[in-house]
Amino acid sequence: MREVLAQAAFQLFLERGFEQTTVDDIVARAGVGRRSFFRYFPSKEDAVFPDHERCLADMTAFLAGVGDAEPVDAVCDAARLVLRMYSANPEFSVQRYRLTREVPGLRTYELSVVRRYEQTLAGYLRDRYGESGDGALRAEVIAASVVAAHNNGLRTWLRSGGEGDAESAVDHALGLVRQVWGSAPAQGASPAATDGDVVVMVAAKGAPMWRVVQQIESVIGQG
């Protein structure tokens, strides 16, 4: 019934416009009563995004089961669940993107949904990094970076009308996040970032930074 209502609503939004479509119009098209609509959707806006609740639940379950995976890798992989949801139905996703761009209220609603994804990722990262020191700050910044990178790749694909490889665009964007914040080299990173000798140096506690830099430079200069 949820899918029937969502499909009826979206068809009407495309035919008549979002503002011109009422809940009564939707339930009439679906052949059910108003109570049935509000049992599944609190508002018309919710009917435009019927799949996000399930995706949020899938993301939460995914993060709960990743164990001791590298945290940045884990949240990047979790973000890809959203991409897969969109790419599973390209025609609907592109139409929804265009509709959302046309209706300010839907854009505001979409931002609230995006924020929930960001909060889910940040909550996982806070559990991994801790709340003390910069742990909470790091969690918020990385979560925001992952969401921004994912959405950049996703919207590039949506603006193209669903043409091309959505995963490639998103993977490239998330690769930048992994390169900056991850402990492992990002996919596609330059070999120069990982190849070469490793220098390990022991310095006395409290040694001035200029002395540490000088010692490192002397070792590198011997290579």
Side-chain angles (χ1 to χ4, degrees):
M1 179 57 65
R2 181 182 178 86
E3 293 179 2
V4 168
L5 285 165
Q7 184 177 20
F10 201 77
Q11 288 174 346
L12 287 168
F13 296 153
L14 294 178
E15 293 171 9
R16 305 180 185 181
F18 180 80
E19 300 295 348
Q20 290 71 35
T21 300
T22 66
V23 172
D24 288 334
D25 294 331
I26 296 170
V27 297
R29 173 69 64 91
V32 299
R34 284 175 60 89
R35 292 180 61 183
S36 294
F37 179 87
F38 290 112
R39 185 179 300 122
Y40 295 97
F41 301 111
S43 66
K44 286 196 303 180
E45 288 80 4
D46 290 280
V48 180
F49 304 94
D51 39 12
H52 282 293
E53 289 298 331
R54 183 186 307 126
C55 192
L56 278 161
D58 289 344
M59 178 181 286
T60 300
F62 173 84
L63 290 171
V66 295
D68 59 354
E70 202 283 324
V72 177
D73 286 345
V75 290
C76 285
D77 288 342
R80 290 186 179 92
L81 296 176
V82 183
L83 168 66
R84 294 184 190 119
M85 177 190 73
Y86 275 84
S87 60
N89 192 342
E91 181 179 2
F92 172 74
S93 296
V94 170
Q95 289 177 335
R96 176 167 63 185
Y97 175 76
R98 292 171 178 168
L99 180 65
T100 303
R101 301 280 73 74
E102 297 171 357
V103 182
L106 290 179
R107 177 59 179 155
T108 300
Y109 184 93
E110 183 184 48
L111 290 173
S112 71
V113 174
V114 170
R115 179 56 180 160
R116 292 178 65 192
Y117 283 117
E118 185 177 320
Q119 289 173 330
T120 299
L121 299 178
Y124 164 79
L125 291 170
R126 281 195 300 272
D127 288 341
R128 295 295 303 273
Y129 295 139
E131 296 281 358
S132 59
D134 287 338
L137 173 61
R138 185 180 181 87
E140 294 288 343
V141 171
I142 294 175
S145 299
V146 169
V147 169
H150 171 273
N151 287 350
N152 178 277
L154 174 62
R155 287 169 183 161
T156 297
W157 176 71
L158 291 171
R159 284 193 295 270
S160 74
E163 300 293 332
D165 186 354
E167 289 198 17
S168 177
V170 170
D171 284 348
H172 174 72
L174 291 175
L176 297 179
V177 177
R178 294 179 65 241
Q179 186 174 343
V180 173
W181 293 107
S183 61
Q187 292 179 346
S190 170
T194 57
D195 290 348
D197 297 331
V198 177
V199 176
V200 178
M201 191 193 74
V202 179
K205 182 178 180 181
M209 184 58 66
W210 67 267
R211 174 67 69 183
V212 175
V213 173
Q214 183 182 64
Q215 291 177 342
I216 294 174
E217 288 179 339
S218 67
V219 173
I220 294 175
Q222 295 172 6

